[in-house]
Amino acid sequence: MPLSEHEQRLLDQIERELYAEDPKFASTVRGARLRRPARRRRIQGIALFIVGVALLVVGVMVKALWVADFPLMSVVGFLAMFFGVVVAIMSGRHPGGAEATKGPAKPKSSFTQRMEERFRQRFEE
């Protein structure tokens, strides 16, 4: 749903004030893109998934690999598939997340205080 003209003007005003207040943060946010997983880790995850599929199929087909009428190799193959997907998807994420890189909190600026006050007024009315 598109913004109304009034909402678009408010958004433009907020953006201008954000650039004026903290240009480094504003440029970081504007240029931020989702991090892509590292190519090597993604390839490793895909390879582990393929090995898992092979183990799953071989474990079901070859009865000699069953342990007490249980396809143990197939279970190992499924786990390899699962961890391969996890490695491929999670390879670009940092363990500490955004909280690990945050520094001490800054005191609120007048712009931030005004925006919070406007937000509170909307819900009180």
Side-chain angles (χ1 to χ4, degrees), residues 83-120:
F83 287 115
V85 169
V86 169
V87 166
I89 292 174
M90 302 298 283
S91 63
R93 299 191 181 164
H94 297 289
E99 272 59 51
T101 60
K102 283 187 179 178
K106 290 182 179 180
K108 291 184 180 179
S109 67
S110 60
F111 169 71
T112 308
Q113 291 170 347
R114 286 194 319 252
M115 287 293 117
E116 286 180 358
E117 185 60 33
R118 287 180 189 171
F119 184 75
R120 276 191 222 103

Side-chain angles (χ1 to χ4, degrees), residues 1 25 30 35 43 50 55 58 75 95 98-99 105:
M1 182 170 90
F25 173 74
R30 179 170 230 178
R35 293 179 184 227
I43 291 172
I50 291 170
L55 288 174
V58 169
V75 173
E99 272 59 51

Side-chain angles (χ1 to χ4, degrees), residues 22-41:
D22 194 354
K24 184 178 178 184
F25 173 74
S27 65
T28 302
V29 170
R30 179 170 230 178
R33 294 183 180 163
L34 294 176
R35 293 179 184 227
R36 291 185 176 166
R39 183 179 176 105
R40 184 186 309 163
R41 297 288 290 182

Side-chain angles (χ1 to χ4, degrees), residues 47-68:
L48 186 58
F49 179 83
I50 291 170
V51 168
V53 170
L55 288 174
L56 182 85
V57 172
V58 169
V60 170
M61 290 175 52
V62 180
K63 294 276 186 181
L65 298 173
W66 286 34
V67 176

